[in-house]
Amino acid sequence: MFRAILFTQWKWARLPLLLGVVAAFGLPLVVVQPLPSLFAEDAGASLAIEFMGSFGPMFPLLATVLGLFLAVSAWAADHAGRHVYALSLPLPRWQLVLYRLGAGLTLLALPLLALWFGALLATSTVDLPA
């Protein structure tokens, strides 16, 4: 039953989720790209920290948007169908909720892994002075 719910949620949310994966992978790369040129200027580290700080709110914003989108998309079809399908399933409602929660957390692991790999790639490609 979990596989069916996971596949259904994937089908409902795949395009925005894939856009979120691309954004999560690319955001660290965009943040560290101009750092070597910022360190070459007179201000040095303070200018680089100020530049990186301006991108700081983008990470929680991306997480919030993706989390809210997956939470809403998980229940949108049930809400449109007045929850008739969910109530007709041969399992208790709490079990359906836990399956949907698990499927949502599984799908949220994709942008998390993309962010992690993007951060690893970004830190390995940037060359900063000591």
Side-chain angles (χ1 to χ4, degrees), residues 11-92:
K11 202 166 78 171
W12 291 335
R14 66 179 163 225
L15 183 61
L17 185 63
L18 289 177
L19 291 173
V21 166
V22 170
F25 182 78
L27 193 57
L29 297 171
V30 169
V31 170
V32 300
Q33 183 181 10
L35 286 184
S37 64
L38 290 175
F39 270 103
E41 295 179 13
D42 292 336
S46 64
L47 187 60
I49 290 173
E50 183 180 326
F51 174 77
M52 289 178 63
S54 67
F55 278 96
M58 296 302 236
F59 291 97
L61 180 68
L62 179 65
T64 303
V65 167
L66 283 174
L68 285 175
F69 174 76
L70 279 175
V72 168
S73 69
W75 296 100
D78 281 346
H79 185 66
R82 315 280 286 158
H83 300 277
V84 171
Y85 174 73
L87 293 173
S88 67
L89 290 175
L91 67 153

